[in-house]
Amino acid sequence: MLNQITAMLIKRMVIGWSVCLLANTVALSQTQSGKDLYTKYDYHDFRIEQQFKGVMDFNNIDYNRINAVIFHLTNEIRVKNNLFPLSYAPELEKSAMMHARDMKAGNFFSHINEADATKKTPNDRAKLCNVANPFLAENIIEGYGLQYKANETVYVRGRGQFSKTPEGEQLKAHTYISFGEALITGWMNSKDHRKNMLSKEALQLGCGVIYFTDPEFNDMPSFTVVQNFQWYQPIKLISP
C-alpha cells in the first residue's frame, strides 16, 4: 500500500540575523572555484545560460552552480525593487558553506553554533574566512530538491520518490533556477529574511548550500541553505 504524506516545500526558516561586531582572527585559505559563474553572468543574463536551466542530479550536486543561482536571483529581485545589485564575495560564500555543513553535521538549525565557540555567530564565521571587518546579516532555510508545492499531498513510490497520485508520474527534480526561485520565495514571504535581502545597507553577498536526504520524509532530497550579507562597508581582508 502506498503511503500518503503531506509536507511543506520550505521546511524551516528562522528569523534573519544581523549583527555589527569588529574583530581579527587567523584566516583560513579561500578557494576560487566557480568564480566564472559570477564574472561571466549577472542578474541581466544568467537566466539564458543553459547550465543554470539544467536539472539537478542528486548524485552529482554542482554546489557552485546552486550558490551562483541564489546569488543572481537575489540581485534580480533587488533590482526589481529599485535597489543596487550586490557584489560577490568568495569569503562570504565560504562562511555560508561552512555554516550549512556545520548545521547538518551537528544536527541543528540556527544562526548560533553552540558547539564551536570559534564559529558561534555569523561574524565569527566570517572572521575565520579572512574577513577583518565583518558586519554580517544571515538568512538560513531548508528546502526540498523535488518540485513540490506547499501542503500538497504526495504518495511514496520508493525511497526518495513521490507522486501526486497513487499511480501518477513521479515528482521531478528541480532545475537549478527553479530550486533557487523556491528558496527566494520562501525568504521573501518572511519579514525578517526579506528585510535582509532588500536592505540598503547590504553591499556584498555569498551563498552556500549542503545536500542531504531527509530520513523523516522518506529520504526526500533536501538542502540546507545559507546567505551571508556584508553590510555598511566593503570587506577588508585580514593581512597575512
Side-chain angles (χ1 to χ4, degrees), residues 20 22 27 35 70 79 104 108 126 129-130 136 192 202-203 215 225:
C20 300
L22 187 61
K35 187 177 180 180
I70 299 168
V79 172
K104 227 34 298 162
F108 70 97
C129 296
N130 210 29
L136 259 64
D192 292 289
L203 300 176
V225 187

Side-chain angles (χ1 to χ4, degrees), residues 23-38:
N24 292 311
T25 190
V26 177
L28 299 178
S29 62
Q30 171 61 41
T31 62
Q32 296 296 322
S33 58
K35 187 177 180 180
D36 60 334
L37 297 176
Y38 302 91

Side-chain angles (χ1 to χ4, degrees), residues 176-195:
Y176 285 87
I177 284 183
S178 67
F179 175 68
E181 288 173 333
L183 300 175
I184 296 296
T185 297
W187 277 323
M188 287 296 287
N189 287 336
S190 167
K191 179 181 177 182
D192 292 289
H193 298 87
R194 178 187 176 95
K195 181 179 178 181

Side-chain angles (χ1 to χ4, degrees), residues 13 16-17 70-79 81 83-86 137-139 141 180-181 183-205 207 227 229 231:
M13 290 189 291
W17 169 284
I70 299 168
F71 174 88
H72 292 310
L73 284 167
T74 302
N75 274 339
E76 181 183 65
I77 206 160
R78 282 179 61 86
V79 172
N81 282 270
L83 295 166
F84 55 84
L86 304 177
E138 181 174 85
N139 285 345
I141 196 171
E181 288 173 333
L183 300 175
I184 296 296
T185 297
W187 277 323
M188 287 296 287
N189 287 336
S190 167
K191 179 181 177 182
D192 292 289
H193 298 87
R194 178 187 176 95
K195 181 179 178 181
N196 282 344
M197 290 178 61
L198 299 184
S199 172
K200 295 180 180 179
E201 308 296 345
L203 300 176
Q204 294 164 287
L205 171 64
C207 307
Q227 285 184 311
F229 302 85
W231 284 13

Side-chain angles (χ1 to χ4, degrees), residues 139-157:
N139 285 345
I140 62 177
I141 196 171
E142 287 188 349
Y144 296 138
L146 299 182
Q147 296 183 21
Y148 175 73
K149 293 183 180 179
N151 298 319
E152 282 186 333
T153 297
V154 289
Y155 295 82
V156 173
R157 303 295 297 277

